[in-house]
Amino acid sequence: MMKKRILRGFRMWQRNVDVFKSHYMASIIGNIGEPILYLFGFGAGLGALVKNAGGVSYMEFIAPGMMAAAAMNAAAFECTFGAYTRMAEQKVYEGILATPLSVEDIVLGEILWGATKGLMSSLIMLVILMLFGLFDKYAEIPLIALNMAALGLAISSLTMCVTAISSSYETFNYYFTMFLTPMMLFTGIYFPTEQLPKWFSSAFLLFPTAHAVNINRYLFHGGSASMPILGAVFMGVFIPFGIWLSTRMVKKRLIPAP
Amino acid sequence: MAIVEAKNLQRNFGPFCAVDGIGFAIEEGECFGFLGPNGAGKSTTVHMVQGLLPRSGGSLRVLGMDIGRQADRIKSALGVVSQENNLDRDLTVRQNLLTYARYFEMPHKEAQRRADELLVFLQLDAKQGEKLSSLSGGMQRRLAIARALINGPRLLLLDEPTTGLDPQARHLIWRRLNLLKKQKITTILTTHYMEEAERLCDRVAIMNGGKILMEGRPAQLIADVIGQEVIELHVEEEQRQQALDHVRELGVNFEIHGDTIYIYGDGPGLVPSLLGIGHKSVLHRKATLEDLFLKLAGRTLVE
């Protein structure tokens, strides 16, 4: 049963890969261009003002968080605009539901694909960080990639819940303003969360990005392992729950109960 | 054994009852039509047969299995052409077929071979590398039919396959569907074109307001309810009352829709007896399913 589900989810994933292959250049160029702009803007511009960020240069400080931000944004973009277009505008899901695939398979495939896009974006970011001399712990690459894939799965499943109840592209503004931008600002990507009131930064531990940033920073710079371990446990619970909930919500939208 | 068998099948959407306790049995190799206006419950019925919508009540067996329990096994033997265009617009014509074949776990070589055959059969081989945006409405509908046939289905569901197409495109699709009919693929067709149902269907069920009003062979139904012939009498407003009085005196079976009086009958004796009625024009023709439908549903039809 489980094997069948994963195989069928993989078929949906393959469909998205095929489409991606026909326009991957545009996507990759965007993926390379953006990190360079961010690194230059924040690193060279803002970094000149910030002399010391927890014992490392500012560029070094933001490097692990920038990877997480890249994974988060790519996964969220794919599972909002991409998935919504397929579901509501193009009725691709409806076409696929006439085959042996079920809503469960489709949602799993979409989440796997969102995570794949997230992983790709973060790995491109990693290559650029290497070129800037901001990363040299090659032995940690498999764990970093695993962390980014997990973040991709977590964000994709959270995002699919939003897409399931969206009535138009405009609805995504709520999601971006209320979830993504706060996660971008307050999960330790650009500055240590110790700068914030304790209750405020603790609240963000309910969101996967905070944990992915903690884990990545640990893999980049070392330090205490307690927060990264909490993060791994969090991901282990959040991802299955997110997949379950988003599947339920998409099902409710596509297949009205009798 | 019936390929599809429904008993007291029901589907509600909140307080609205879209399908209201219908029953039917479709035999192997048969083309069965659901006829009716928009909102009659045809598409809802098809959506239940394909396992897209769970039923609210009654029983529904497809290919001998319960659609609620064995949906994926049933769906692997179905071909569906939806009313709404849900082709994959991100893919080319050929990719649409190959990607679909993959959902059915068809080996790649076999999928290529089937795609080649179907592209020729539906006259799309010259377009196979193109994106869908360069295809006309008729071509897209043909591609939807090709896609529905990719898995070699035992049961084909066609939900308004020619709605919105120009006559030429419609005739091309009818010719293809007639060829499929010769291959004895069991087919369910919904339509609001009576001509389509008469050409393609072995049996039809006429639906309105979620119920089946009548079911049987098209020719037999027409003969039973309407008769062999129809006279359409177009009359001016001022002549209308007089015409009606005259028709009533004749004691024939008739209906009024707009400025037309439809008179039904069997013998050629109808025409002379009408000559005394003042009229704009008169049309004497063979009775069709449309007459039957208007007679059954016409007066209750809500726009």
Side-chain angles (χ1 to χ4, degrees):
Chain A
M1 190 62 202
M2 198 59 203
K3 212 174 135 193
K4 225 179 201 178
R5 167 80 13 98
I6 290 170
L7 176 69
R8 286 178 179 163
F10 178 67
R11 295 298 179 219
M12 179 72 209
W13 179 87
Q14 266 184 315
R15 179 255 168 225
N16 290 339
V17 173
D18 286 351
V19 175
F20 177 74
K21 278 197 224 152
S22 65
H23 56 72
Y24 69 96
M25 266 327 264
S27 186
I28 293 209
I29 284 170
N31 264 321
I32 294 174
E34 217 179 73
I36 294 179
L37 291 175
Y38 271 91
L39 274 179
F40 186 72
F42 281 94
L46 194 58
L49 299 173
V50 184
K51 286 301 162 216
N52 183 355
V56 292
S57 77
Y58 188 64
M59 290 262 263
E60 284 171 311
F61 176 81
I62 63 172
M66 295 287 278
M67 263 191 92
M72 175 175 84
N73 284 333
F77 191 83
E78 186 58 39
C79 290
T80 46
F81 293 99
Y84 185 80
T85 304
R86 291 188 278 277
M87 175 176 70
E89 299 290 315
Q90 301 184 340
K91 310 269 175 209
V92 172
Y93 294 1
E94 193 190 286
I96 295 175
L97 284 175
T99 75
L101 270 66
S102 63
V103 175
E104 285 87 343
D105 306 321
I106 292 173
V107 174
L108 181 63
E110 291 286 48
I111 290 172
L112 287 174
W113 174 240
T116 306
K117 291 282 289 268
L119 182 62
M120 280 195 295
S121 285
S122 64
L123 291 179
I124 288 169
M125 177 65 94
L126 186 64
V127 171
I128 290 165
L129 293 175
M130 286 180 201
L131 295 177
F132 275 69
L134 295 168
F135 180 83
D136 58 3
K137 299 213 166 129
Y138 302 112
E140 306 287 8
I141 290 177
L143 278 179
I144 290 173
L146 185 65
N147 181 35
M148 291 298 99
L151 176 62
L153 290 173
I155 294 292
S156 295
S157 53
L158 174 70
T159 309
M160 285 304 288
C161 294
V162 175
T163 300
I165 50 171
S166 290
S167 52
S168 70
Y169 292 106
E170 275 66 37
T171 323
F172 298 136
N173 288 330
Y174 293 110
Y175 178 56
F176 286 114
T177 312
M178 281 160 49
F179 288 90
L180 283 192
T181 309
M183 280 200 274
M184 197 78 174
L185 289 173
F186 306 121
T187 58
I189 294 173
Y190 295 114
F191 55 85
T193 51
E194 289 81 31
Q195 305 289 327
L196 298 164
K198 182 89 179 134
W199 64 268
F200 190 80
S201 62
S202 301
F204 277 90
L205 290 176
L206 293 171
F207 295 100
T209 310
H211 297 285
V213 171
N214 284 338
I215 295 170
N216 242 24
R217 186 152 287 137
Y218 174 75
L219 294 171
F220 270 61
H221 303 314
S224 159
S226 59
M227 286 312 277
I229 288 169
L230 173 69
V233 173
F234 177 91
M235 290 296 196
V237 176
F238 189 93
I239 293 168
F241 176 73
I243 293 175
W244 173 80
L245 184 67
S246 57
T247 302
R248 221 183 124 91
M249 290 174 75
V250 175
K251 199 167 186 171
K252 199 171 169 197
R253 177 187 183 122
L254 293 181
I255 303 183
Chain B
M1 183 199 72
I3 293 285
V4 184
E5 190 170 23
K7 285 180 189 151
N8 196 25
L9 184 62
Q10 257 185 43
R11 172 70 210 199
N12 306 322
F13 292 97
F16 173 68
C17 184
V19 171
D20 192 2
I22 62 171
F24 56 88
I26 299 166
E27 301 299 324
E28 178 128 40
E30 173 174 54
C31 179
F32 190 90
F34 285 101
L35 246 84
N38 294 329
K42 311 182 300 283
S43 293
T44 305
T45 303
V46 168
H47 286 161
M48 284 192 280
V49 172
Q50 73 169 97
L52 192 62
L53 274 179
R55 59 184 180 260
S56 303
S59 76
L60 178 59
R61 294 182 73 78
V62 182
L63 304 170
M65 292 172 272
D66 183 335
I67 188 69
R69 298 218 180 109
Q70 286 163 294
D72 59 343
R73 279 191 64 195
I74 295 172
K75 288 201 293 177
S76 65
L78 294 189
V80 180
V81 176
S82 306
Q83 190 177 336
E84 260 187 287
N85 180 352
N86 59 28
L87 291 165
D88 201 324
R89 278 177 265 165
D90 291 331
L91 301 171
T92 64
V93 169
R94 191 182 180 82
Q95 278 179 323
N96 257 282
L97 299 182
L98 296 179
T99 306
Y100 221 62
R102 212 161 51 195
Y103 301 138
F104 288 93
E105 298 301 329
M106 185 182 287
H108 188 62
K109 274 223 167 95
E110 195 188 335
Q112 295 274 7
R113 187 181 54 77
R114 293 273 312 160
D116 286 334
E117 281 173 17
L118 288 168
L119 287 168
V120 171
F121 178 63
L122 287 148
Q123 300 179 15
L124 288 165
D125 41 324
K127 291 275 180 186
Q128 58 177 305
E130 302 206 18
K131 285 266 183 192
L132 298 202
S133 48
S134 69
L135 265 59
S136 68
M139 287 174 184
Q140 298 208 19
R141 211 62 68 89
R142 266 144 54 203
L143 178 58
I145 294 172
R147 192 179 71 165
L149 292 169
I150 193 82
N151 58 325
R154 277 184 70 197
L155 172 63
L156 188 61
L157 306 176
L158 304 167
D159 197 359
E160 300 195 7
T162 64
T163 298
L165 299 184
D166 61 53
Q168 209 181 352
R170 175 173 303 149
H171 277 271
L172 181 51
I173 286 183
W174 282 345
R175 282 202 294 276
R176 288 297 169 268
L177 293 180
N178 257 320
L179 287 175
L180 287 176
K181 208 173 131 103
K182 292 204 176 96
Q183 296 172 23
K184 290 285 170 200
I185 300 179
T186 314
T187 305
I188 295 179
L189 176 114
T190 78
T191 183
H192 48 235
Y193 297 119
M194 306 299 144
E195 189 190 352
E196 185 163 290
E198 278 187 271
R199 274 168 183 262
L200 298 171
C201 297
D202 300 309
R203 278 194 305 147
V204 295
I206 297 179
M207 286 188 82
N208 197 34
K211 288 186 187 295
I212 293 180
L213 303 179
M214 194 171 267
E215 189 224 288
R217 302 192 169 275
Q220 194 60 49
L221 289 178
I222 297 166
D224 289 352
V225 181
I226 301 292
Q228 299 294 328
E229 290 163 286
V230 175
I231 290 171
E232 282 183 27
L233 203 60
H234 302 269
V235 291
E236 299 284 4
E237 190 62 41
E238 53 268 23
Q239 296 173 327
R240 195 178 156 142
Q241 198 49 52
Q242 188 201 349
L244 279 176
D245 291 343
H246 195 122
V247 172
R248 281 202 186 93
E249 253 170 56
L250 291 172
V252 292
N253 202 351
F254 72 98
E255 288 285 322
I256 309 157
H257 294 287
D259 69 346
T260 309
I261 303 174
Y262 296 84
I263 300 159
Y264 312 127
D266 275 322
L270 269 176
V271 181
S273 59
L274 291 170
L275 289 177
I277 303 174
H279 57 266
K280 271 198 298 199
S281 68
V282 63
L283 175 67
H284 184 198
R285 60 170 173 77
K286 194 171 156 268
T288 67
L289 265 184
E290 187 144 351
D291 297 307
L292 175 62
F293 181 73
L294 286 175
K295 186 167 173 59
L296 289 177
R299 278 169 297 188
T300 55
L301 220 156
V302 184
E303 289 294 323

